[in-house]
Amino acid sequence: MSFGQGGPQSQWDPWKPQSQQQQPQQPWNGGDGGAAPDWAALAEASEARAKRRRLLFIGGGALATVAIASAVAVAVVSANGSGQASDGPSSQLPATADIPSATTTEPSFAPTSAPPPLDPKDFVSSAEKDKAPLGPDLLFPGTQLTMGDTVYKKGPTADTRTCGSAAQGTLPKVLDANDCTRLIRVTYTKGDTAVTVGVAVFDTEAQAVKAKKQADKKSIVRSLSGGGVKAFCTGAVCRSTTNSYGRYAYFTVAGFTGGKDVTEKSTEVFRAGDDLAEFAFRQIRRRGEAQASAAAEG
């Protein structure tokens, strides 16, 4: 086949001079007649085309990389919850109030069906709730009392509805003024030391607290003797205490059965009075605990 116009054909092989293979037909340059093609120009053109292909390939790869990076950036923004890329600069962060805080939400728990615990003191603070049986042997049971390493022997007991008759000094007036309904007494001894503890009963806690506040150094419960316990604190100097819990006010008077005066050095008398005052408090509190427990179970 012939391209263009031209002269005679010649056999040419670039590797074998005078080869018998047929030389490729090339267009002639403007009628040069039998002049040979410009192989240097053809080689430069081929190399230029190859460079363009490489540039196109590199450019296409760069564009693909940019496209992938843009897609990743959009995906990161979407993952952060914005839904779309922001047009603002990256330094424009959300306000502090807009950032969720891990400490702003407190865990919530469903309310339980268990009722709140009952307060034992409520059951000994008024006559309306304090319905358990009451008496000297119920409040002070047994025949002896052990406090720490000290053992006290239980003596006579008494229970009177006329509170003033079982008190002396300024105490009868205090008890009557606050409507005392009952005064329970019991005596404990250790050696020649004797203590009478008296528990005054009122209808309300307010009355018992008022009686405690109105009592002074001359407000003394009358000592209880008999049943093998000699008289004490009838004329000698003795030590007394006053306190209250719930609707009960409790008093102690402690001294020597031989009629000796109590002094600041009479440590055994002070200790005995404190022990019996502590025991009276515990017994009243236990009374409230027992009634609270029974009410909870019921």
PDB file of all heavy atoms in Angstrom, residues 219-241:
ATOM      1  N   SER A 219     -33.311  19.840 142.672  1.00  0.00           N
ATOM      2  CA  SER A 219     -34.355  18.941 142.163  1.00  0.00           C
ATOM      3  C   SER A 219     -33.858  17.513 142.286  1.00  0.00           C
ATOM      4  O   SER A 219     -33.049  17.047 141.472  1.00  0.00           O
ATOM      5  CB  SER A 219     -34.695  19.285 140.705  1.00  0.00           C
ATOM      6  OG  SER A 219     -35.172  20.619 140.614  1.00  0.00           O
ATOM      7  N   ILE A 220     -34.330  16.798 143.304  1.00  0.00           N
ATOM      8  CA  ILE A 220     -33.766  15.490 143.637  1.00  0.00           C
ATOM      9  C   ILE A 220     -34.887  14.467 143.766  1.00  0.00           C
ATOM     10  O   ILE A 220     -35.923  14.727 144.405  1.00  0.00           O
ATOM     11  CB  ILE A 220     -32.976  15.556 144.963  1.00  0.00           C
ATOM     12  CG1 ILE A 220     -31.865  16.601 144.850  1.00  0.00           C
ATOM     13  CG2 ILE A 220     -32.390  14.201 145.306  1.00  0.00           C
ATOM     14  CD1 ILE A 220     -31.174  16.886 146.171  1.00  0.00           C
ATOM     15  N   VAL A 221     -34.691  13.318 143.160  1.00  0.00           N
ATOM     16  CA  VAL A 221     -35.617  12.217 143.333  1.00  0.00           C
ATOM     17  C   VAL A 221     -35.406  11.632 144.736  1.00  0.00           C
ATOM     18  O   VAL A 221     -34.280  11.596 145.244  1.00  0.00           O
ATOM     19  CB  VAL A 221     -35.417  11.144 142.240  1.00  0.00           C
ATOM     20  CG1 VAL A 221     -34.060  10.467 142.360  1.00  0.00           C
ATOM     21  CG2 VAL A 221     -36.528  10.111 142.267  1.00  0.00           C
ATOM     22  N   ARG A 222     -36.462  11.204 145.368  1.00  0.00           N
ATOM     23  CA  ARG A 222     -36.365  10.675 146.727  1.00  0.00           C
ATOM     24  C   ARG A 222     -35.728   9.286 146.701  1.00  0.00           C
ATOM     25  O   ARG A 222     -36.144   8.421 145.928  1.00  0.00           O
ATOM     26  CB  ARG A 222     -37.745  10.618 147.367  1.00  0.00           C
ATOM     27  CG  ARG A 222     -37.712  10.339 148.870  1.00  0.00           C
ATOM     28  CD  ARG A 222     -39.115  10.343 149.441  1.00  0.00           C
ATOM     29  NE  ARG A 222     -39.740  11.650 149.326  1.00  0.00           N
ATOM     30  CZ  ARG A 222     -39.551  12.656 150.209  1.00  0.00           C
ATOM     31  NH1 ARG A 222     -38.738  12.494 151.245  1.00  0.00           N
ATOM     32  NH2 ARG A 222     -40.178  13.811 150.020  1.00  0.00           N
ATOM     33  N   SER A 223     -34.709   9.084 147.541  1.00  0.00           N
ATOM     34  CA  SER A 223     -34.023   7.786 147.600  1.00  0.00           C
ATOM     35  C   SER A 223     -34.991   6.717 148.096  1.00  0.00           C
ATOM     36  O   SER A 223     -35.901   6.995 148.892  1.00  0.00           O
ATOM     37  CB  SER A 223     -32.800   7.868 148.511  1.00  0.00           C
ATOM     38  OG  SER A 223     -33.190   8.167 149.852  1.00  0.00           O
ATOM     39  N   LEU A 224     -34.781   5.490 147.615  1.00  0.00           N
ATOM     40  CA  LEU A 224     -35.659   4.369 147.937  1.00  0.00           C
ATOM     41  C   LEU A 224     -34.856   3.307 148.673  1.00  0.00           C
ATOM     42  O   LEU A 224     -33.900   2.748 148.133  1.00  0.00           O
ATOM     43  CB  LEU A 224     -36.254   3.800 146.651  1.00  0.00           C
ATOM     44  CG  LEU A 224     -37.235   2.647 146.800  1.00  0.00           C
ATOM     45  CD1 LEU A 224     -38.487   3.088 147.565  1.00  0.00           C
ATOM     46  CD2 LEU A 224     -37.621   2.116 145.420  1.00  0.00           C
ATOM     47  N   SER A 225     -35.229   3.051 149.914  1.00  0.00           N
ATOM     48  CA  SER A 225     -34.546   2.045 150.734  1.00  0.00           C
ATOM     49  C   SER A 225     -35.524   0.930 151.108  1.00  0.00           C
ATOM     50  O   SER A 225     -36.697   0.962 150.741  1.00  0.00           O
ATOM     51  CB  SER A 225     -33.957   2.681 151.997  1.00  0.00           C
ATOM     52  OG  SER A 225     -34.998   3.298 152.759  1.00  0.00           O
ATOM     53  N   GLY A 226     -35.033  -0.040 151.855  1.00  0.00           N
ATOM     54  CA  GLY A 226     -35.847  -1.179 152.263  1.00  0.00           C
ATOM     55  C   GLY A 226     -35.379  -2.437 151.555  1.00  0.00           C
ATOM     56  O   GLY A 226     -34.590  -2.383 150.592  1.00  0.00           O
ATOM     57  N   GLY A 227     -35.888  -3.576 152.018  1.00  0.00           N
ATOM     58  CA  GLY A 227     -35.504  -4.858 151.431  1.00  0.00           C
ATOM     59  C   GLY A 227     -34.035  -5.139 151.555  1.00  0.00           C
ATOM     60  O   GLY A 227     -33.411  -5.657 150.616  1.00  0.00           O
ATOM     61  N   GLY A 228     -33.466  -4.782 152.702  1.00  0.00           N
ATOM     62  CA  GLY A 228     -32.041  -5.008 152.934  1.00  0.00           C
ATOM     63  C   GLY A 228     -31.178  -3.819 152.598  1.00  0.00           C
ATOM     64  O   GLY A 228     -29.963  -3.846 152.849  1.00  0.00           O
ATOM     65  N   VAL A 229     -31.739  -2.775 152.054  1.00  0.00           N
ATOM     66  CA  VAL A 229     -30.972  -1.570 151.724  1.00  0.00           C
ATOM     67  C   VAL A 229     -31.248  -0.524 152.810  1.00  0.00           C
ATOM     68  O   VAL A 229     -32.398  -0.129 153.037  1.00  0.00           O
ATOM     69  CB  VAL A 229     -31.354  -1.010 150.343  1.00  0.00           C
ATOM     70  CG1 VAL A 229     -30.558   0.263 150.060  1.00  0.00           C
ATOM     71  CG2 VAL A 229     -31.105  -2.050 149.265  1.00  0.00           C
ATOM     72  N   LYS A 230     -30.193  -0.076 153.484  1.00  0.00           N
ATOM     73  CA  LYS A 230     -30.318   0.942 154.529  1.00  0.00           C
ATOM     74  C   LYS A 230     -30.682   2.295 153.917  1.00  0.00           C
ATOM     75  O   LYS A 230     -30.420   2.561 152.741  1.00  0.00           O
ATOM     76  CB  LYS A 230     -29.013   1.063 155.311  1.00  0.00           C
ATOM     77  CG  LYS A 230     -28.600  -0.204 156.055  1.00  0.00           C
ATOM     78  CD  LYS A 230     -27.281   0.016 156.776  1.00  0.00           C
ATOM     79  CE  LYS A 230     -26.844  -1.236 157.532  1.00  0.00           C
ATOM     80  NZ  LYS A 230     -25.550  -1.037 158.238  1.00  0.00           N
ATOM     81  N   ALA A 231     -31.266   3.151 154.728  1.00  0.00           N
ATOM     82  CA  ALA A 231     -31.614   4.496 154.281  1.00  0.00           C
ATOM     83  C   ALA A 231     -30.354   5.259 153.890  1.00  0.00           C
ATOM     84  O   ALA A 231     -29.303   5.136 154.524  1.00  0.00           O
ATOM     85  CB  ALA A 231     -32.370   5.228 155.387  1.00  0.00           C
ATOM     86  N   PHE A 232     -30.441   6.045 152.885  1.00  0.00           N
ATOM     87  CA  PHE A 232     -29.301   6.855 152.428  1.00  0.00           C
ATOM     88  C   PHE A 232     -29.838   8.152 151.820  1.00  0.00           C
ATOM     89  O   PHE A 232     -30.989   8.251 151.389  1.00  0.00           O
ATOM     90  CB  PHE A 232     -28.429   6.087 151.431  1.00  0.00           C
ATOM     91  CG  PHE A 232     -29.126   5.749 150.116  1.00  0.00           C
ATOM     92  CD1 PHE A 232     -28.903   6.509 148.975  1.00  0.00           C
ATOM     93  CD2 PHE A 232     -30.011   4.678 150.041  1.00  0.00           C
ATOM     94  CE1 PHE A 232     -29.535   6.201 147.781  1.00  0.00           C
ATOM     95  CE2 PHE A 232     -30.636   4.358 148.842  1.00  0.00           C
ATOM     96  CZ  PHE A 232     -30.413   5.115 147.712  1.00  0.00           C
ATOM     97  N   CYS A 233     -29.014   9.140 151.791  1.00  0.00           N
ATOM     98  CA  CYS A 233     -29.316  10.445 151.212  1.00  0.00           C
ATOM     99  C   CYS A 233     -30.563  11.076 151.864  1.00  0.00           C
ATOM    100  O   CYS A 233     -31.365  11.734 151.171  1.00  0.00           O
ATOM    101  CB  CYS A 233     -29.482  10.352 149.698  1.00  0.00           C
ATOM    102  SG  CYS A 233     -27.970   9.866 148.832  1.00  0.00           S
ATOM    103  N   THR A 234     -30.743  10.874 153.136  1.00  0.00           N
ATOM    104  CA  THR A 234     -31.856  11.517 153.828  1.00  0.00           C
ATOM    105  C   THR A 234     -31.428  12.789 154.540  1.00  0.00           C
ATOM    106  O   THR A 234     -32.261  13.647 154.853  1.00  0.00           O
ATOM    107  CB  THR A 234     -32.463  10.555 154.859  1.00  0.00           C
ATOM    108  OG1 THR A 234     -31.449  10.102 155.770  1.00  0.00           O
ATOM    109  CG2 THR A 234     -33.079   9.349 154.147  1.00  0.00           C
ATOM    110  N   GLY A 235     -30.166  12.921 154.827  1.00  0.00           N
ATOM    111  CA  GLY A 235     -29.650  14.127 155.468  1.00  0.00           C
ATOM    112  C   GLY A 235     -28.228  14.410 155.043  1.00  0.00           C
ATOM    113  O   GLY A 235     -27.727  15.537 155.190  1.00  0.00           O
ATOM    114  N   ALA A 236     -27.560  13.426 154.483  1.00  0.00           N
ATOM    115  CA  ALA A 236     -26.166  13.588 154.067  1.00  0.00           C
ATOM    116  C   ALA A 236     -26.099  14.211 152.672  1.00  0.00           C
ATOM    117  O   ALA A 236     -27.083  14.271 151.920  1.00  0.00           O
ATOM    118  CB  ALA A 236     -25.455  12.242 154.078  1.00  0.00           C
ATOM    119  N   VAL A 237     -24.911  14.678 152.351  1.00  0.00           N
ATOM    120  CA  VAL A 237     -24.676  15.235 151.018  1.00  0.00           C
ATOM    121  C   VAL A 237     -24.581  14.088 150.027  1.00  0.00           C
ATOM    122  O   VAL A 237     -23.819  13.141 150.218  1.00  0.00           O
ATOM    123  CB  VAL A 237     -23.393  16.085 150.994  1.00  0.00           C
ATOM    124  CG1 VAL A 237     -23.105  16.567 149.564  1.00  0.00           C
ATOM    125  CG2 VAL A 237     -23.496  17.246 151.959  1.00  0.00           C
ATOM    126  N   CYS A 238     -25.375  14.192 148.934  1.00  0.00           N
ATOM    127  CA  CYS A 238     -25.376  13.159 147.892  1.00  0.00           C
ATOM    128  C   CYS A 238     -25.198  13.803 146.524  1.00  0.00           C
ATOM    129  O   CYS A 238     -25.256  15.037 146.378  1.00  0.00           O
ATOM    130  CB  CYS A 238     -26.668  12.355 147.945  1.00  0.00           C
ATOM    131  SG  CYS A 238     -26.808  11.274 149.386  1.00  0.00           S
ATOM    132  N   ARG A 239     -25.006  12.997 145.566  1.00  0.00           N
ATOM    133  CA  ARG A 239     -24.812  13.477 144.184  1.00  0.00           C
ATOM    134  C   ARG A 239     -26.026  13.103 143.340  1.00  0.00           C
ATOM    135  O   ARG A 239     -26.502  11.972 143.404  1.00  0.00           O
ATOM    136  CB  ARG A 239     -23.552  12.857 143.597  1.00  0.00           C
ATOM    137  CG  ARG A 239     -23.130  13.497 142.276  1.00  0.00           C
ATOM    138  CD  ARG A 239     -23.062  12.463 141.175  1.00  0.00           C
ATOM    139  NE  ARG A 239     -22.595  13.023 139.922  1.00  0.00           N
ATOM    140  CZ  ARG A 239     -22.357  12.306 138.838  1.00  0.00           C
ATOM    141  NH1 ARG A 239     -22.518  10.989 138.864  1.00  0.00           N
ATOM    142  NH2 ARG A 239     -21.961  12.887 137.725  1.00  0.00           N
ATOM    143  N   SER A 240     -26.545  14.042 142.527  1.00  0.00           N
ATOM    144  CA  SER A 240     -27.738  13.798 141.716  1.00  0.00           C
ATOM    145  C   SER A 240     -27.479  14.174 140.264  1.00  0.00           C
ATOM    146  O   SER A 240     -26.606  14.995 139.950  1.00  0.00           O
ATOM    147  CB  SER A 240     -28.932  14.605 142.246  1.00  0.00           C
ATOM    148  OG  SER A 240     -28.675  15.996 142.154  1.00  0.00           O
ATOM    149  N   THR A 241     -28.249  13.568 139.340  1.00  0.00           N
ATOM    150  CA  THR A 241     -28.168  13.868 137.902  1.00  0.00           C
ATOM    151  C   THR A 241     -29.582  13.991 137.337  1.00  0.00           C
ATOM    152  O   THR A 241     -30.535  13.434 137.897  1.00  0.00           O
ATOM    153  CB  THR A 241     -27.406  12.778 137.128  1.00  0.00           C
ATOM    154  OG1 THR A 241     -28.151  11.557 137.188  1.00  0.00           O
ATOM    155  CG2 THR A 241     -26.008  12.559 137.695  1.00  0.00           C
TER     156      THR A 241
END
